[in-house]
mmCIF file of all heavy atoms in Angstrom:
data_model
loop_
_atom_site.group_PDB
_atom_site.id
_atom_site.type_symbol
_atom_site.label_atom_id
_atom_site.label_comp_id
_atom_site.label_asym_id
_atom_site.label_seq_id
_atom_site.Cartn_x
_atom_site.Cartn_y
_atom_site.Cartn_z
ATOM 1 N N MET U 891 2.134 22.628 25.258
ATOM 2 C CA MET U 891 0.887 22.328 25.906
ATOM 3 C C MET U 891 -0.162 21.878 24.963
ATOM 4 O O MET U 891 -0.940 21.002 25.281
ATOM 5 C CB MET U 891 0.405 23.642 26.625
ATOM 6 C CG MET U 891 -0.766 23.432 27.491
ATOM 7 S SD MET U 891 -0.523 22.177 28.669
ATOM 8 C CE MET U 891 -1.300 22.848 30.035
ATOM 9 N N LEU U 896 -3.717 17.527 22.691
ATOM 10 C CA LEU U 896 -4.030 16.683 21.522
ATOM 11 C C LEU U 896 -3.808 15.159 21.899
ATOM 12 O O LEU U 896 -4.597 14.371 21.545
ATOM 13 C CB LEU U 896 -3.224 17.027 20.310
ATOM 14 C CG LEU U 896 -3.604 18.355 19.653
ATOM 15 C CD1 LEU U 896 -2.632 18.663 18.549
ATOM 16 C CD2 LEU U 896 -5.033 18.230 19.132
ATOM 17 N N PHE U 898 -4.059 13.887 24.973
ATOM 18 C CA PHE U 898 -5.196 13.476 25.863
ATOM 19 C C PHE U 898 -6.442 13.313 25.084
ATOM 20 O O PHE U 898 -7.198 12.367 25.344
ATOM 21 C CB PHE U 898 -5.385 14.517 27.016
ATOM 22 C CG PHE U 898 -4.325 14.448 28.059
ATOM 23 C CD1 PHE U 898 -3.697 15.591 28.479
ATOM 24 C CD2 PHE U 898 -4.023 13.237 28.665
ATOM 25 C CE1 PHE U 898 -2.760 15.554 29.411
ATOM 26 C CE2 PHE U 898 -3.096 13.172 29.705
ATOM 27 C CZ PHE U 898 -2.418 14.338 30.077
ATOM 28 N N SER U 909 -15.365 1.722 26.309
ATOM 29 C CA SER U 909 -15.739 1.351 27.663
ATOM 30 C C SER U 909 -17.055 0.596 27.666
ATOM 31 O O SER U 909 -17.904 0.845 26.821
ATOM 32 C CB SER U 909 -15.744 2.509 28.582
ATOM 33 O OG SER U 909 -16.767 3.426 28.183
ATOM 34 N N ALA U 915 -27.099 -7.779 31.429
ATOM 35 C CA ALA U 915 -28.025 -8.824 31.194
ATOM 36 C C ALA U 915 -28.734 -9.173 32.537
ATOM 37 O O ALA U 915 -28.051 -9.341 33.508
ATOM 38 C CB ALA U 915 -27.378 -10.051 30.608
ATOM 39 N N GLU U 916 -30.047 -9.196 32.502
ATOM 40 C CA GLU U 916 -30.769 -9.545 33.747
ATOM 41 C C GLU U 916 -31.760 -10.642 33.453
ATOM 42 O O GLU U 916 -32.279 -10.749 32.320
ATOM 43 C CB GLU U 916 -31.611 -8.307 34.189
ATOM 44 C CG GLU U 916 -30.756 -7.175 34.661
ATOM 45 C CD GLU U 916 -31.599 -5.986 35.121
ATOM 46 O OE1 GLU U 916 -32.821 -6.201 35.424
ATOM 47 O OE2 GLU U 916 -31.080 -4.860 35.194
ATOM 48 N N THR U 927 -44.255 -24.280 42.863
ATOM 49 C CA THR U 927 -44.544 -25.590 43.335
ATOM 50 C C THR U 927 -45.245 -26.301 42.177
ATOM 51 O O THR U 927 -46.329 -25.859 41.842
ATOM 52 C CB THR U 927 -45.329 -25.685 44.647
ATOM 53 O OG1 THR U 927 -44.598 -25.013 45.668
ATOM 54 C CG2 THR U 927 -45.661 -27.095 45.036
ATOM 55 N N VAL U 937 -33.973 -20.369 31.205
ATOM 56 C CA VAL U 937 -33.819 -19.036 31.785
ATOM 57 C C VAL U 937 -33.719 -18.004 30.607
ATOM 58 O O VAL U 937 -33.036 -18.285 29.661
ATOM 59 C CB VAL U 937 -32.588 -18.951 32.718
ATOM 60 C CG1 VAL U 937 -32.875 -19.730 33.985
ATOM 61 C CG2 VAL U 937 -31.341 -19.551 32.061
ATOM 62 N N ARG U 942 -29.063 -10.730 24.390
ATOM 63 C CA ARG U 942 -28.652 -11.973 23.657
ATOM 64 C C ARG U 942 -27.480 -12.608 24.403
ATOM 65 O O ARG U 942 -26.591 -11.892 24.945
ATOM 66 C CB ARG U 942 -28.240 -11.686 22.241
ATOM 67 C CG ARG U 942 -29.456 -11.280 21.373
ATOM 68 C CD ARG U 942 -29.012 -10.934 19.949
ATOM 69 N NE ARG U 942 -28.452 -12.107 19.317
ATOM 70 C CZ ARG U 942 -29.109 -13.093 18.661
ATOM 71 N NH1 ARG U 942 -30.438 -12.963 18.614
ATOM 72 N NH2 ARG U 942 -28.523 -14.091 18.090
ATOM 73 N N ALA U 962 -28.413 -33.501 33.009
ATOM 74 C CA ALA U 962 -29.056 -32.557 32.090
ATOM 75 C C ALA U 962 -28.158 -32.355 30.879
ATOM 76 O O ALA U 962 -26.935 -32.654 30.905
ATOM 77 C CB ALA U 962 -29.181 -31.189 32.809
ATOM 78 N N GLY U 970 -31.755 -14.707 23.765
ATOM 79 C CA GLY U 970 -31.604 -14.370 25.159
ATOM 80 C C GLY U 970 -31.925 -15.522 26.102
ATOM 81 O O GLY U 970 -31.997 -15.255 27.311
ATOM 82 N N SER U 977 -32.883 -35.271 32.198
ATOM 83 C CA SER U 977 -33.158 -36.647 31.849
ATOM 84 C C SER U 977 -32.545 -37.560 32.863
ATOM 85 O O SER U 977 -31.321 -37.617 33.023
ATOM 86 C CB SER U 977 -32.513 -36.996 30.432
ATOM 87 O OG SER U 977 -32.787 -38.298 30.164
ATOM 88 N N ASP U 995 -22.298 -8.911 24.425
ATOM 89 C CA ASP U 995 -21.484 -7.747 24.587
ATOM 90 C C ASP U 995 -20.617 -7.831 25.839
ATOM 91 O O ASP U 995 -19.990 -6.899 26.223
ATOM 92 C CB ASP U 995 -22.289 -6.469 24.560
ATOM 93 C CG ASP U 995 -23.307 -6.389 25.679
ATOM 94 O OD1 ASP U 995 -23.421 -7.370 26.462
ATOM 95 O OD2 ASP U 995 -24.010 -5.330 25.754
ATOM 96 N N HIS U 997 -21.341 -8.797 29.122
ATOM 97 C CA HIS U 997 -21.889 -8.659 30.511
ATOM 98 C C HIS U 997 -22.171 -10.009 31.058
ATOM 99 O O HIS U 997 -22.800 -10.869 30.411
ATOM 100 C CB HIS U 997 -23.158 -7.798 30.483
ATOM 101 C CG HIS U 997 -22.898 -6.432 30.066
ATOM 102 N ND1 HIS U 997 -23.676 -5.754 29.164
ATOM 103 C CD2 HIS U 997 -21.916 -5.522 30.442
ATOM 104 C CE1 HIS U 997 -23.185 -4.559 28.966
ATOM 105 N NE2 HIS U 997 -22.115 -4.413 29.746
ATOM 106 N N ALA U 999 -24.004 -12.400 33.908
ATOM 107 C CA ALA U 999 -25.151 -12.513 34.883
ATOM 108 C C ALA U 999 -25.067 -13.820 35.543
ATOM 109 O O ALA U 999 -24.857 -14.843 34.862
ATOM 110 C CB ALA U 999 -26.499 -12.278 34.157
ATOM 111 N N ALA U 1014 -40.109 -39.401 46.323
ATOM 112 C CA ALA U 1014 -39.310 -38.256 46.807
ATOM 113 C C ALA U 1014 -37.862 -38.327 46.260
ATOM 114 O O ALA U 1014 -37.395 -39.377 45.966
ATOM 115 C CB ALA U 1014 -39.232 -38.249 48.318
ATOM 116 N N PRO U 1025 -21.144 -23.333 39.333
ATOM 117 C CA PRO U 1025 -20.790 -23.235 37.926
ATOM 118 C C PRO U 1025 -19.402 -22.707 37.688
ATOM 119 O O PRO U 1025 -18.985 -21.804 38.385
ATOM 120 C CB PRO U 1025 -21.895 -22.333 37.345
ATOM 121 C CG PRO U 1025 -23.007 -22.450 38.305
ATOM 122 C CD PRO U 1025 -22.398 -22.702 39.664
ATOM 123 N N SER U 1028 -16.798 -17.964 33.603
ATOM 124 C CA SER U 1028 -17.359 -17.727 32.290
ATOM 125 C C SER U 1028 -16.301 -17.151 31.273
ATOM 126 O O SER U 1028 -16.526 -17.165 30.096
ATOM 127 C CB SER U 1028 -18.506 -16.769 32.358
ATOM 128 O OG SER U 1028 -18.039 -15.504 32.773
ATOM 129 N N LEU U 1036 -11.793 -1.719 33.034
ATOM 130 C CA LEU U 1036 -12.094 -0.871 31.843
ATOM 131 C C LEU U 1036 -12.799 0.430 32.287
ATOM 132 O O LEU U 1036 -12.518 1.532 31.795
ATOM 133 C CB LEU U 1036 -12.949 -1.586 30.795
ATOM 134 C CG LEU U 1036 -12.237 -2.725 30.110
ATOM 135 C CD1 LEU U 1036 -13.168 -3.420 29.161
ATOM 136 C CD2 LEU U 1036 -11.043 -2.234 29.379
ATOM 137 N N GLY U 1060 -4.123 33.532 30.740
ATOM 138 C CA GLY U 1060 -2.884 34.257 31.095
ATOM 139 C C GLY U 1060 -2.257 34.939 29.862
ATOM 140 O O GLY U 1060 -1.719 36.037 29.960
#
Side-chain angles (χ1 to χ4, degrees):
M891 184 58 138
L896 289 173
F898 285 130
S909 65
E916 294 180 19
T927 298
V937 288
R942 292 180 61 84
S977 179
D995 60 359
H997 296 132
S1028 67
L1036 292 176

